[in-house]
Amino acid sequence: MALPPPNTVPALPPSSTQQTAPGTSSAPPAEQVRTVNGSAERNRHGTVQVQVVFTGDQITDVKFLQLPNSGPSKMAGPRLVQETLQTQSAAIDTVSGATMTSESYINSLQAAIDAKGA
């Protein structure tokens, strides 16, 4: 049995393809990803500002652009983000011991949600 010449690749068998109706695609449409900054909300401990990532209509990530460097604010940040991702809205509870940071977060988050809808 002779080997193929060194610079050739054996032909692959034709792949099976799925038939789709005309005008439809077999892949789901890619959802639009949009990043929106919330307002900078000041309180006596500092400024809170968030950046919200939307995939389609879903909130998929929240990052802090500004967050006071206090212990209560640092503790509250992850809890606020987690609750936002669960509720998919700014209708979340404040974190005990970090009420001002929580309220500033909620206001910044709501501003981002409102700006995304525009």
Side-chain angles (χ1 to χ4, degrees):
M1 179 164 121
L3 295 174
N7 289 336
T8 62
V9 177
L12 297 175
S15 64
S16 63
T17 58
Q18 293 181 343
Q19 295 291 328
T20 58
T24 63
S25 170
S26 61
E31 293 200 57
Q32 181 180 7
V33 176
R34 185 167 176 202
T35 302
V36 181
N37 293 345
S39 56
E41 299 289 330
R42 289 189 164 167
N43 63 57
R44 74 175 187 197
H45 301 291
T47 303
V48 177
Q49 184 179 20
V50 298
Q51 181 179 70
V52 183
V53 178
F54 297 92
T55 303
D57 290 330
Q58 294 279 335
I59 298 172
T60 53
D61 196 15
V62 180
K63 295 181 174 117
F64 285 94
L65 298 177
Q66 297 182 68
L67 180 66
N69 201 22
S70 69
S73 293
K74 287 181 178 180
M75 177 268 311
R79 290 177 61 187
L80 293 165
V81 170
Q82 180 182 8
E83 194 167 342
T84 300
L85 295 174
Q86 288 174 347
T87 63
Q88 291 293 303
S89 75
I92 60 174
D93 293 329
T94 60
V95 174
S96 179
T99 303
M100 289 183 199
T101 296
S102 298
E103 289 172 350
S104 294
Y105 171 89
I106 290 167
N107 291 336
S108 183
L109 175 64
Q110 187 62 58
I113 292 169
D114 293 344
K116 185 258 181 197

